[in-house]
Amino acid sequence: MAENLFDKIWEAHAVRQLPSGQTQLFIGLHLVHEVTSPQAFEMLRDRKLAVMFPERTFATVDHIVPTDRRARPFGDEMAEQMMAQIEKNAAQFAVPLFNIDDERQGIVHVIGPELGLTQPGMTIACGDSHTSTHGAFGAIACGIGTSQVRDVLASQCLAMNRPGVRRIEVGGKLAKGVYAKDVILSIIGRLGVKGGVGYAYEYAGPVVEAMGMEERMSLCNMSIEGGTRVGYVNPDQNTFAYLQGQPHAPQGAAFAKAVEWWKSIASGPDAAYDDRVRIDGGAIAPTITWGINPGQSVRVDACIPSPAEFPEEERPGIQEALEYMDFAPGQKIAGTRIDVAFIGSCTNGRLSDLREAARVARGRKVRPGIKALVVPGSQQVRRAAEAEGLHEIFLEAGFEWRGAGCSMCLAMNPDKLQGRQVCASSSNRNFKGRQGSPTGRTLLMSPAMVAAAAVEGAVADVRALL
Ligand code: SF4
């Protein structure tokens, strides 16, 4: 049976089979940020260990970084301590750090690709669930916990269970106003938030092939929300064009040689899979979550479902979501009033996301009383957006234009919801309390849909505004 990309990368990086049945896998790239690394470095210090491959390890600061006032020391003492800790650890263990004043700083899953650190055929680990983002380049990339961060720092290896591979083919062509975010919300809606447990997802088909690299990153980013730690797209001409000339990508003749290898690791037409799913991309509409996990979503022109539409065992969870979100079954999602609009995060804080949101915001105004934030995913995205004048469009419309960071995605910084506020958000999780208020409510959607909600004051169909 011909191998798929996942199998080829796995076998190329397998060091040995462990007595536990797991595989010891060599990790090509380890990305580090300030929240999940302090204890891991401390454990290295306790055991008098060094970082085994500092040249394969890169650190940045993103989760706790304020996006408005970035002067040190930060007002939040704990955030300031985390900053001081990562600076100390990076210096002591000789790990490069893209610090807050470095023009390469940004969200870890935005800067890896844009610096050319993320490459096809790699194994990539990071102490963050959304590491699957890097799979967009044809890599096996997965999030790890703090003790595994320690393991990778000390040995450059991980002990992993080998999953099966499910190929998800998205056929047809996306309609106007429908984006990668809508595709992944539809996939999770159909397969469920636990549907990917035990699988890696290979995203394929005409819709995925037509996506730019940034859209593929949005798609792979939310793999974890569908229960799989790994999601990837086979590398192709789009991938190579994106990487050519990036600072850490191979240069000159080495690039041409790398492309030959990258092509060879892609799944061939006769590759074998453990499961296949087909989705009609042409039938996907702008999609929004109405509940408290990313699988609870509806089309913008649909109504909130009733518990009776679900299997018996799911009904208590549906009822809980309805009560928390204050929705009634049968209520239209369009027209739901919002208090906050957030455009940013490692899912949708890249240049193409900001361009699409700006197309909606241009010449329109944010409804009075709505707090609307645009937070570029990295300083590089911010500079590129400013060079195109996107910041002027947003500022003119009444959005705030911020510095790079995770901002209101997880709200480990001053950007937080207050009380029961409803937020139209381009981020990736709508769990209870995710955006900083224990009672805050999150509606996940594409950045263009967030911009539409900001100017209409309520959930609106972006297709009418393009
Ligand atoms: S933007 Fe959100 S999901 Fe992404 S790395 Fe930051 S906190 Fe995690």
Side-chain angles (χ1 to χ4, degrees):
M1 293 275 247
E3 290 183 315
N4 55 54
L5 173 139
F6 184 90
D7 293 334
K8 294 184 207 179
I9 298 178
W10 186 275
E11 276 146 31
H13 291 79
V15 178
R16 63 179 171 139
Q17 204 66 23
L18 297 168
S20 62
Q22 292 182 300
T23 305
Q24 183 184 0
L25 209 60
F26 184 78
I27 300 300
L29 173 67
H30 187 197
L31 298 167
V32 172
H33 64 85
E34 76 282 15
V35 177
T36 51
S37 67
Q39 281 173 295
F41 280 112
E42 210 47 53
M43 289 189 264
L44 252 62
R45 230 177 245 119
D46 287 348
R47 295 171 195 207
K48 303 197 177 356
L49 293 169
V51 172
M52 182 166 258
F53 283 100
E55 68 275 25
R56 290 181 179 272
T57 312
F58 295 85
T60 190
V61 288
D62 49 13
H63 287 65
I64 53 101
V65 169
T67 60
D68 49 1
R69 252 197 80 257
R70 292 163 77 91
R72 302 280 299 277
F74 297 153
D76 178 344
E77 212 172 294
M78 192 174 301
E80 181 56 34
Q81 271 176 23
M82 281 190 200
M83 284 294 288
Q85 203 61 44
I86 198 163
E87 287 167 339
K88 177 179 156 193
N89 291 333
Q92 181 180 339
F93 291 94
V95 170
L97 170 64
F98 307 128
N99 208 341
I100 192 163
D101 52 359
D102 189 310
E103 60 177 25
R104 297 165 294 180
Q105 177 263 339
I107 305 174
V108 66
H109 311 311
V110 177
I111 66 158
E114 73 186 11
L115 294 174
L117 292 166
T118 301
Q119 295 170 22
M122 277 186 165
T123 46
I124 301 175
C126 173
D128 186 276
S129 318
H130 296 89
T131 306
S132 54
T133 310
H134 306 262
F137 289 77
I140 298 182
C142 68
I144 54 177
T146 295
S147 57
Q148 292 175 305
V149 173
R150 170 204 62 198
D151 295 347
V152 181
L153 288 173
S155 69
Q156 204 62 30
C157 288
L158 267 180
M160 287 187 73
N161 292 316
R162 184 173 183 154
V165 181
R166 172 181 287 152
R167 180 173 162 98
I168 300 178
E169 286 177 21
V170 189
K173 191 169 178 282
L174 296 184
K176 183 183 76 166
V178 179
Y179 302 93
K181 183 63 156 286
D182 304 300
V183 175
I184 190 65
L185 286 174
S186 301
I187 290 173
I188 300 168
R190 175 161 154 192
L191 300 179
V193 290
K194 293 185 182 153
V197 174
Y199 286 106
Y201 279 179
E202 175 176 298
Y203 301 106
V207 163
V208 177
E209 285 160 21
M211 284 180 181
M213 293 311 297
E214 298 192 345
E215 284 185 284
R216 293 180 189 180
M217 285 186 250
S218 302
L219 187 68
C220 292
N221 173 275
M222 288 188 68
S223 299
I224 184 73
E225 309 308 335
T228 172
R229 291 171 73 194
V230 173
Y232 68 87
V233 177
N234 281 295
D236 62 9
Q237 218 42 55
N238 282 352
T239 320
F240 313 143
Y242 179 99
L243 284 170
Q244 191 155 25
Q246 305 286 27
H248 289 266
Q251 307 290 326
F255 185 79
K257 199 169 161 206
V259 167
E260 283 318 302
W261 185 65
W262 295 340
K263 283 181 180 168
S264 77
I265 52 130
S267 304
D270 54 351
Y273 298 93
D274 300 285
D275 191 30
R276 285 178 184 262
V277 172
R278 289 197 171 82
I279 297 216
D280 177 7
I284 298 174
T287 301
I288 305 155
T289 60
W290 60 267
I292 52 174
N293 72 51
Q296 294 172 328
S297 65
V298 285
R299 299 164 54 104
V300 65
D301 48 12
C303 297
I304 306 293
S306 152
E309 296 170 39
F310 294 84
E312 186 83 41
E313 66 276 12
E314 290 179 29
R315 290 179 195 166
I318 300 294
Q319 190 59 40
E320 180 191 355
L322 288 170
E323 283 168 18
Y324 181 83
M325 295 300 290
D326 215 4
F327 278 132
Q331 186 182 335
K332 285 188 171 155
I333 187 90
T336 303
R337 296 185 67 81
I338 65 154
D339 305 293
V340 178
F342 168 58
I343 296 171
S345 85
C346 61
T347 315
N348 282 127
R350 299 183 179 81
L351 186 60
S352 57
D353 299 314
L354 305 193
R355 282 184 186 144
E356 288 304 308
R359 279 177 67 197
V360 177
R362 184 191 295 273
R364 298 190 170 101
K365 293 282 182 202
V366 170
R367 282 292 167 105
I370 290 177
K371 182 179 180 66
L373 299 181
V374 182
V375 186
S378 69
Q379 295 202 28
Q380 185 170 312
V381 170
R382 184 178 150 103
R383 284 193 302 278
E386 288 180 352
E388 292 183 14
L390 300 184
H391 64 310
E392 284 161 2
I393 296 170
F394 287 123
L395 288 167
E396 179 63 25
F399 288 83
E400 296 176 36
W401 177 247
R402 297 294 191 86
C406 294
S407 183
M408 208 178 261
C409 171
L410 180 59
M412 285 186 82
N413 55 71
D415 301 337
K416 296 181 197 304
L417 293 186
Q418 305 294 324
R420 289 284 284 154
Q421 281 182 325
V422 175
C423 180
S425 178
S426 73
S427 56
N428 46 45
R429 283 189 168 160
N430 53 340
F431 301 159
K432 288 179 178 178
R434 168 77 177 180
Q435 292 191 286
S437 160
T439 53
R441 292 169 284 175
T442 302
L443 306 171
L444 300 177
M445 58 189 82
S446 72
M449 281 285 288
V450 176
V455 300
E456 295 290 332
V459 173
D461 192 336
V462 71
R463 293 174 294 190
L465 301 182
L466 288 172

